[in-house]
Amino acid sequence: MRLEIVHVTRYAYRQPVALSAHRMMLRPRGSSALRLLAADLHCDPAPAFAWTQDVFGNLIATASFAAPTDRLTITNRLTVEQAAAAFPLFSIAPHAHRYPFDYSDDERTDLGALLVPEHDDPGGRLAAWARAQVLGADTDTLSLLQDVNAATRMGMIYVARDEVGTQSPHRTLDLGSGSCRDLAMLFIEAVRHLGFGARAVSGYLFDPPIAGAPQGQHGATHAWAEVYLPCAGWIAFDPANGRMGEAQLVPVAVGRSITQLSPVDGRYVGPAGAFLGLTVEVTVSELPPPLDDARGFRDNR
């Protein structure tokens, strides 16, 4: 499956302002299931780009702007090949087939903060909610993770939130609702309380259109979680859609928390009232099969 992704972010200002360097995480992470075929990151006004990697290996584009402006448009165009199986099989280490299991000393060292819940848990409420998903003292590990994923989705109402930031897991439980990023953090914190190493992922989601509906979806970026299992590696769990595995997902960045994964992060220097607004448009469409096997990579920086 080949996908075309168009992600446009627009900032508007009442008057020309000076833009600080903007940090952008918009380049997909390649894997055995995901291949980047073409990438074109464009800004208006045009900046100077510097490319680096962060501690998680995410590719960062830092844009520096020379002159004041009353607008900023960031357009990210991608073509990717997604080959993940809809019903994946995972080669989990034999000792980790059943829960609970122990990570090796090296794994625990390398996972580090990804094993530790980052939110306070007064009264152990979240830990108790997570433990309630464990059906017995000796249960199938993957089934347990799927149960937590299902509980995160079935017990909550999905809502699209335009507000900046991510709800705490306790607030999500209190409200019984959350956005994809809120549900992802609830799942991550829950499985960390169960002893799993977990991380946050941001990127794009493709949902095949209903018959007769137009191609492409318009909305925002997507967020989900990954859990590390020995030998199998990082396994994707998408609580917002109740899915497991990488099918239809295009990961862009990973981190300890959703708060680290803003696609665009930048500031301006000018009057407090100069900012007029921000709009984000994301379209993900399936492309027809190529006419031949030529798959040259194009990277326009």
Side-chain angles (χ1 to χ4, degrees):
M1 180 171 62
R2 292 194 310 151
L3 300 175
E4 180 182 60
I5 301 165
V6 181
H7 179 179
V8 182
T9 306
R10 296 184 178 90
Y11 297 87
Y13 303 93
R14 194 178 307 276
Q15 63 194 73
V17 297
L19 298 177
S20 66
H22 279 52
R23 183 174 179 271
M24 306 176 190
M25 290 195 289
L26 296 167
R27 181 64 56 88
R29 297 172 64 93
S31 71
S32 60
L34 184 72
R35 184 182 181 193
L36 180 62
L37 301 179
D40 184 3
L41 177 60
H42 174 78
C43 295
D44 181 22
F49 279 116
W51 294 83
T52 56
Q53 283 184 299
D54 67 10
V55 68
F56 295 103
N58 302 314
L59 191 59
I60 310 297
T62 301
S64 299
F65 301 90
T69 181
D70 61 359
R71 73 191 189 286
L72 171 60
T73 302
I74 302 167
T75 303
N76 189 44
R77 296 180 180 272
L78 304 166
T79 304
V80 300
E81 184 179 74
Q82 168 56 273
F87 302 99
L89 298 175
F90 300 107
S91 299
I92 302 170
H95 76 276
H97 283 179
R98 309 296 295 179
Y99 175 87
F101 67 89
D102 292 324
Y103 288 114
S104 70
D105 290 343
D106 282 344
E107 287 170 333
R108 295 193 68 83
T109 298
D110 293 336
L111 288 169
L114 302 182
L115 288 163
V116 182
E118 65 175 284
H119 293 86
D120 292 334
D121 188 23
R125 178 187 177 197
L126 181 56
W129 183 87
R131 287 194 299 269
Q133 314 311 318
V134 183
L135 297 182
D138 179 30
T139 187
D140 181 79
T141 299
L142 206 55
S143 294
L144 167 60
L145 291 169
Q146 289 175 301
D147 287 345
V148 178
N149 195 42
T152 305
R153 179 64 184 96
M154 299 304 292
M156 304 293 156
I157 298 173
Y158 172 79
V159 294
R161 290 198 307 108
D162 294 330
E163 306 96 295
V164 176
T166 304
Q167 293 175 175
S168 72
H170 288 83
R171 179 159 179 77
T172 300
L173 289 175
D174 288 339
L175 295 174
S177 65
S179 66
C180 61
R181 60 188 185 274
D182 303 323
L183 299 180
M185 280 310 302
L186 173 59
F187 174 88
I188 289 168
E189 290 289 271
V191 298
R192 284 175 178 168
H193 276 290
L194 295 176
F196 292 98
R199 66 187 184 183
V201 190
S202 70
Y204 304 102
L205 166 71
F206 172 71
D207 262 335
I210 299 172
Q215 267 279 344
Q217 300 121 60
H218 301 268
T221 53
H222 191 53
W224 62 96
E226 290 181 341
V227 176
Y228 181 81
L229 294 182
C231 288
W234 291 102
I235 297 176
F237 291 88
D238 181 4
N241 293 289
R243 296 172 180 166
M244 177 184 69
E246 298 179 48
Q248 301 171 342
L249 297 173
V250 180
V252 169
V254 301
R256 174 176 43 80
S257 173
I258 294 289
T259 58
Q260 299 174 305
L261 305 182
S262 176
V264 179
D265 185 20
R267 304 290 184 272
Y268 74 91
V269 179
F275 181 64
L276 291 178
L278 160 70
T279 61
V280 178
E281 299 174 3
V282 177
T283 304
V284 183
S285 304
E286 186 173 7
L287 295 174
L291 297 177
D292 53 43
D293 291 331
R295 297 174 181 176
F297 176 78
R298 175 172 56 82
D299 185 354
N300 296 330
R301 296 187 181 181

